């Protein structure tokens, strides 16, 4: 195989400079490059035990997240994409410690440069760190407490953390937050049921941004919304990112949304990252057969303008069971390019950038260099 | 398409729901035709009445709902039956349901009973509609499961629905729907609950089956791309009205109604890149209990004409090439 290192040694080395960093600074030393990473996740694992019988004996484990490493640069959007059960949501929750990871390290860097190892924090310390992290959930119908008014929902973080004690001040801050998500502040005394799905999602976003976080985990924030409203929320998220210099970890299964919103993308399959790199380059030329199949599976509206009817790759079978992962490459039972080696040997996540001198592009495939895979044909120059 | 004989004709259908909050006009004056072997897509956002339209055809509208006006004529062997006139629990409609017209639901987990094997449930349908023995029915069920690409059908036929994966369950659902060779299959959001790669499988399967079995298809979805993959004709609904309908290649290339234009523009498209501008429709779908006067879309419409759109419901305008639109911007030529 060509000159390429395994990801473990590569991820923490100074050579790893992502496109976001290249843009935001003129390379003044490796230390600065490192401190630009809001989040650094290394070898994150989450195994859920499978318990059976009266004594709750452990009979196996579900490898929901299995050795996942990535970082997020300040101001960028990293998308985690994959099908259900691939571990994208679990990864997002482990990063926030909404779920306790089994092992691995999550380093969060505050705006002042202070580094915090999130996985070893005590409950109390965790609360002070979670202030810098917001979370937006998929379903705005279940993520807002129906018994609280909008004022109480958005104001809750200030009250529980005793940040604002004055009622008037609280109302002013909530009004400001509502305006930032383009909602009328006079609605703040209403209950969630009075709002449509899109408006509720705006309230959920205002709540996530209440404590002025650096970093927001958005877990399928538009999947439960109507088509015409999805676009409003996506545009809002993009605008808020520029206005408030937010960093997003965006979890979704929708590849069109990934392309629209994210700078870099990490494709996950059965608990592992199979491809990670710059969104544009991965979508133009995927290097992992699974990414190719995912891109090809997305139905497109035939406007007849471009006439880009593509040869569709249809994968056979279902996503592998994370409780019973196939040996070798986890994707081999469905892979159209499968070879003998794939059934036996597990491929490592390697950086192809060494081979072509471009931005880092990690792929977990034995034949990443040989295969000529088809991406999305661009309709713009 | 127009050469093949007419199969189903829906004329001015209106289905309303009566509740304490008032009258909900879920479907209000919808008309369309389906010819044998044709695929029609009905698209729209939540509350537009697309599912209630399907329920009205099969006469499975929930209890508080009622078909108030309109006719649904099903042409069988040269005879026309008005489904609206049938007793919704009578023998006739029960023979049509699952026999002549079958339906695939969004959530296969909810459509199957948990306590019977899928084989049990498929053979039940077959034996209800066709005279045959238990063994024959079982054989046909296996054949059907094989046809929808179920691996080892001889074994999976004895599996319970919960033991199957989402994609397999959807296949079993399709097998059950097709077991009596219906002339019309209604698929309500057939791929919304499954993953992208499974969606591709299911769409491919439905395309193949439709072609091979020569049946007509109504696909109900909010995803225009799914319709573009499967359908010959498209009908766009908004708050119970059919705002636009046209052949698929026409409507996606040259949408007329501002709502259709907005819908197409508000979906990010693969291949358009990071810089594409989304042009979302402002506001959101109003509560169906408070439907705006005049054109239901006027409060969100960028082309809104004061004193026209908010007063008068636009009539259906017939443009060239079977393109129909309900909008004041267009005049009958």
């Amino acid at each position: 195989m060509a000159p390429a290192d395994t990801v473990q040694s590569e991820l923490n080395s100074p050579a790893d400079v992502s496109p976001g960093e290249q843009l935001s600074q003129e390379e003044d030393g490796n230390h600065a490059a490192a401190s630009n990473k809001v989040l650094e996740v290394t070898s994150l694992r989450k195994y859920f035990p499978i318990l059976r019988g009266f004594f709750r004996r452990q009979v196996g484990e579900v490898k929901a997240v299995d050795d996942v490493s990535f970082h997020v640069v300040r101001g960028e959007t990293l998308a985690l994409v994959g099908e259900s059960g691939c571990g994208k949501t679990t990864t997002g929750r482990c990063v926030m410690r909404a779920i306790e990871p089994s092992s691995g390290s999550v380093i969060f860097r505050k705006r002042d440069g202070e580094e915090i190892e999130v996985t070893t924090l005590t409950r109390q310390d965790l609360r002070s760190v979670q202030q810098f992290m917001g979370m937006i959930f998929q379903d705005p119908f279940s993520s807002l407490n129906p018994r609280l008014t909008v004022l109480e929902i958005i104001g809750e973080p200030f009250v529980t953390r005793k940040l604002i004690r004055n009622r008037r001040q609280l109302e002013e801050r909530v009004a400001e937050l509502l305006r930032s998500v383009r909602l009328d502040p006079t609605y703040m005394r209403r209950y969630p049921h009075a709002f449509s799905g899109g408006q509720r999602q705006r309230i959920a976003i205002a709540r996530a941004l209440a404590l002025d976080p650096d970093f927001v985990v958005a877990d399928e924030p538009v999947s439960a919304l109507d088509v015409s409203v999805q676009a409003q929320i996506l545009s809002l998220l993009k605008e808020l990112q520029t206005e408030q210099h937010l960093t997003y970890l965006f979890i979704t299964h929708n590849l069109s949304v990934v392309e629209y919103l994210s700078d870099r993308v990490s494709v996950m399959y059965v608990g592992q990252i199979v491809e990670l790199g710059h969104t544009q380059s991965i979508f133009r030329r995927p290097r992992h057969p699974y990414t190719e199949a995912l891109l090809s599976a997305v139905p497109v509206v035939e406007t007849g303008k471009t006439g880009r009817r593509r040869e569709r790759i249809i994968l056979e079978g279902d996503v592998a069971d994370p409780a019973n992962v196939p040996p070798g490459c986890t994707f081999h039972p469905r892979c159209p390019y499968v070879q003998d080696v794939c059934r036996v040997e597990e491929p490592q996540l390697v950086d192809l950038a060494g081979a072509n001198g471009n931005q880092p592009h990690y792929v977990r495939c034995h034949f990443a260099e040989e295969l000529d895979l088809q991406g999305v044909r661009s309709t713009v120059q | 398409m127009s050469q093949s004989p007419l199969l189903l004709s829906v004329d001015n259908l209106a289905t309303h729901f009566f509740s304490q909050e008032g009258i909900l006009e879920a479907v209000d004056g919808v008309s369309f035709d389906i010819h044998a072997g044709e695929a029609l897509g009905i698209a729209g956002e939540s509350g537009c009445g697309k599912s209630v339209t399907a329920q009205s055809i099969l006469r499975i509208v929930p209890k508080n709902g009622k078909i108030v006006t309109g006719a649904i004529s099903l042409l069988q062997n040269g005879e026309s039956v008005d489904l609206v006139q049938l007793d919704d629990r009578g023998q006739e409609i029960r023979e049509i349901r699952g026999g002549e017209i079958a339906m695939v639901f969004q959530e296969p987990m909810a459509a199957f009973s948990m306590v019977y094997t899928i084989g049990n449930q498929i053979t039940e349908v077959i034996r209800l509609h066709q005279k045959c023995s238990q063994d024959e029915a079982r054989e046909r069920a296996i054949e059907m499961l094989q046809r929808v690409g179920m691996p080892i059908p001889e074994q999976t036929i004895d599996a319970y629905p919960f033991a199957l994966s989402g994609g397999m369950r959807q296949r079993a659902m399709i097998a059950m729907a097709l077991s009596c060779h219906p002339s019309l299959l209604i698929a309500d959001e057939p791929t919304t609950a499954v993953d992208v790669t499974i969606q591709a499988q299911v769409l491919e399967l439905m395309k193949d089956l439709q072609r091979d079995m020569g049946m007509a298809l109504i696909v109900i979805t909010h995803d225009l791309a799914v319709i573009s993959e499967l359908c010959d004709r498209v009908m766009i609904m908004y708050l119970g009205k059919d705002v636009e309908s046209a052949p698929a290649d026409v409507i996606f290339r040259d949408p007329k109604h501002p709502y259709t234009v907005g819908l197409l523009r508000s979906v990010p498209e693969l291949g358009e890149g990071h810089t594409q501008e989304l042009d979302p429709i402002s506001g959101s779908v109003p509560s169906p209990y408070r439907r705006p006067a005049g054109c239901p879309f006027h409060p969100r419409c960028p082309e809104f004409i004061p004193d026209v759109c908010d007063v008068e419901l636009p009539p259906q305008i017939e443009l060239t090439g079977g393109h129909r639109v309900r909008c004041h911007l267009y005049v009958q030529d």
Side-chain angles (χ1 to χ4, degrees), chain A residues 281-329:
Chain A
S281 58
I282 285 187
F283 276 42
R284 295 286 166 267
R285 192 176 169 208
R287 299 301 199 99
H288 195 284
Y290 178 62
T291 315
E292 182 192 37
L294 266 186
L295 288 168
S296 152
V298 178
V300 284
V301 172
E302 289 299 320
T303 48
K305 272 178 281 188
T306 43
R308 55 191 166 117
R309 167 57 73 202
R310 301 162 300 168
E311 194 58 39
R312 173 148 299 164
I313 300 160
I314 295 191
L315 289 182
E316 288 184 6
D318 282 298
V319 179
D321 180 2
N324 186 12
V325 182
C329 172

Side-chain angles (χ1 to χ4, degrees), chain A residues 212-229:
Chain A
D212 192 20
D214 296 1
F215 176 66
V216 176
V217 177
D219 191 353
E220 303 268 15
V222 298
S223 306
L225 304 174
D226 269 327
V227 189
S228 69
V229 180

Side-chain angles (χ1 to χ4, degrees), chain A residues 171-189:
Chain A
E171 282 179 21
E172 269 170 32
R173 180 75 184 115
V174 171
E176 197 183 310
L177 282 162
L178 283 173
R179 270 192 294 271
S180 75
V181 295
R182 287 67 161 161
L183 277 180
D184 188 342
T186 55
Y187 292 162
M188 69 168 78
R189 304 209 179 277

Side-chain angles (χ1 to χ4, degrees), chain A residues 83-84 196 226-228 231-232 238 256 259-260 262 299-300 302-303 308 312 314-315 317-318 334 376 379, chain B residues 45-46 165 195 197-199 201 204 225 228-229 252-253 266 268-274 276 281 283-284 300:
Chain A
E83 296 179 282
S84 44
S196 69
D226 269 327
V227 189
S228 69
Q232 295 172 6
K238 227 178 180 176
S256 319
E259 197 194 25
Y260 174 68
S262 75
V300 284
E302 289 299 320
T303 48
R308 55 191 166 117
R312 173 148 299 164
I314 295 191
L315 289 182
D318 282 298
R334 306 178 79 192
V376 177
T379 52
Chain B
E45 296 176 282
S46 47
S165 68
D195 279 312
T197 56
I198 307 297
Q199 168 170 286
Q201 291 174 359
E204 195 66 22
S228 168
E229 297 275 328
F252 293 131
R253 187 167 24 96
S266 59
E269 206 177 325
L270 212 54
E272 294 282 333
H274 201 55
Q276 63 176 309
I281 305 173
S284 55
R300 305 176 74 191

